[in-house]
Amino acid sequence: MSPAPPTGGTAPVIEAPSLGARVLLSDYVELTKPKVQSLLLLTTIATMYVAGDPSPLLVALTCLGGYLSAGGAGAVNHWFDRDIDAQMSRTAGRPLPAGRVSPRAALAFGCTLAALSLLELTLAVNPLAAALSFAGFLGYVFIYTVWLKRRTPQNIVIGGAAGAVPPLVGWAAVTGSVSGTAVILFFIVFFWTPPHFWALSLLMKEEYRKVGVPMLPVVRGEEETRRQIVLYTVLLYAVTQLPFCAGGFGVLYLVASLLLGLGFMFGAVRLYRRRDRRSALSLYLFSLAYLGLLFCAMVADAHL
């Protein structure tokens, strides 16, 4: 005889299909690298309000196109790097190495997002913003991911240009052109990227060594990496003074850029002297706050 069903209450019902759909949706969102996107969108929005007084609709449409473009590049990056991601503890749980999303689906997803971004920005914003955003997609996929990342320790220096495109997109979205100020904002993000990423690479050095990715600490050593971090931090500080010197920003921005720049250099020098993981992590976290606060200071200066 089979046992009688329980009568003391109702057993919880697990909706497996619904749960599976949520997990799958979460995996596809992860392919777009949303944590990276937050800074990209912040620099886009801040630049738009520095360039003029855009409508909320224009800001939303520009951010949508930017997210689709950068998200598509992130998905293609997941597809291309799935072999090394599977070997590193930090990335082994990603959707592709974990087997939750197929490589073909990830590649198709990334290319589709890039195409939608190009179409949406062209029709809803303007062709220049669309072209610049698509150039960022191509730069991140082909120059950084495919060409440079596994070949040279300068991968993040040259390839970092792709991550510096959002200010150009934001400026073009508002004005329909690219001015000297927009170019300076591009170079601020460009020179910020190496010290930001090298601080992280010091923490991940053994992981990169294991998979054969020639990040600077692996190829040139930690001492040289720390020296380069100090050098690029000084260069970044100099570049951040250009907007004020060119008359694009006022005293509020000058004070913020001085304080933030000195804080960044203090962290870089401390890392060079102490040579410990805690200092590397502190600098990495500070660099995230630094870029956001610097661009917010630009907006405050432009409107106050």
Side-chain angles (χ1 to χ4, degrees):
M1 294 178 62
S2 59
T7 59
T10 303
V13 178
I14 300 177
E15 299 180 1
S18 176
L19 179 62
R22 288 197 297 270
V23 171
L24 186 63
L25 176 61
S26 175
D27 283 336
Y28 274 92
V29 171
E30 185 178 348
L31 291 179
T32 66
K33 300 191 174 183
K35 292 181 180 179
V36 176
Q37 293 263 27
S38 60
L39 270 181
L40 299 180
L41 293 178
L42 188 151
T43 58
T44 302
I45 295 170
T47 302
M48 294 181 74
Y49 282 103
V50 170
D53 189 20
S55 68
L57 178 60
L58 179 60
V59 174
L61 291 172
T62 304
C63 287
L64 173 61
Y67 190 97
L68 291 173
S69 179
V76 176
N77 176 267
H78 274 272
W79 167 78
F80 189 82
D81 281 348
R82 65 191 185 278
D83 58 333
I84 60 176
D85 282 350
Q87 302 176 56
M88 296 193 294
S89 58
R90 183 176 67 94
T91 56
R94 286 177 172 177
L96 268 71
R100 299 191 303 271
V101 176
S102 72
R104 179 179 297 180
L107 179 60
F109 179 63
C111 293
T112 299
L113 291 186
L116 289 174
S117 169
L118 186 60
L119 180 64
E120 188 267 343
L121 287 174
T122 300
L123 297 178
V125 183
N126 62 59
L128 179 58
L132 290 168
S133 182
F134 190 61
F137 169 84
L138 295 177
Y140 186 79
V141 169
F142 293 103
I143 296 179
Y144 172 67
T145 301
V146 176
W147 179 32
L148 296 174
K149 183 175 180 178
R150 307 192 191 197
R151 288 179 170 84
T152 171
Q154 294 300 307
N155 46 22
I156 200 63
V157 177
I158 304 171
V165 167
L168 299 179
V169 175
W171 196 279
V174 175
T175 67
S177 62
V178 173
S179 72
T181 301
V183 173
I184 293 175
L185 300 189
F186 167 89
F187 277 110
I188 287 175
V189 181
F190 179 83
F191 282 105
W192 166 84
T193 303
H196 161 73
F197 196 87
W198 283 334
L200 176 63
S201 70
L202 285 169
L203 301 171
M204 300 295 301
K205 183 185 73 172
E206 295 306 320
E207 296 265 32
Y208 287 128
R209 186 193 305 278
K210 180 171 65 174
V211 297
V213 175
M215 290 299 178
L216 192 62
V218 175
V219 177
R220 304 285 295 277
E222 294 190 13
E223 184 77 11
E224 177 63 16
T225 302
R226 295 187 183 95
R227 192 182 73 83
Q228 290 290 328
I229 286 175
V230 173
L231 173 62
Y232 271 88
T233 302
V234 172
L235 291 173
L236 171 64
Y237 176 81
V239 173
T240 58
Q241 302 313 302
L242 293 179
F244 175 79
C245 295
F249 294 109
V251 175
L252 193 156
Y253 170 79
L254 175 64
V255 172
S257 65
L258 287 173
L259 293 176
L260 289 169
L262 291 174
F264 208 146
M265 286 192 289
F266 172 80
V269 172
R270 182 178 62 178
L271 174 60
Y272 183 78
R273 290 179 174 176
R274 291 189 179 179
R275 307 174 185 181
D276 59 357
R277 291 178 60 84
R278 183 176 180 179
S279 297
L281 178 60
S282 296
L283 184 64
Y284 170 73
L285 295 176
F286 177 81
S287 69
L288 294 171
Y290 168 89
L291 192 66
L293 291 173
L294 185 69
F295 271 79
C296 287
M298 296 177 189
V299 177
D301 186 275
H303 288 270
L304 297 180

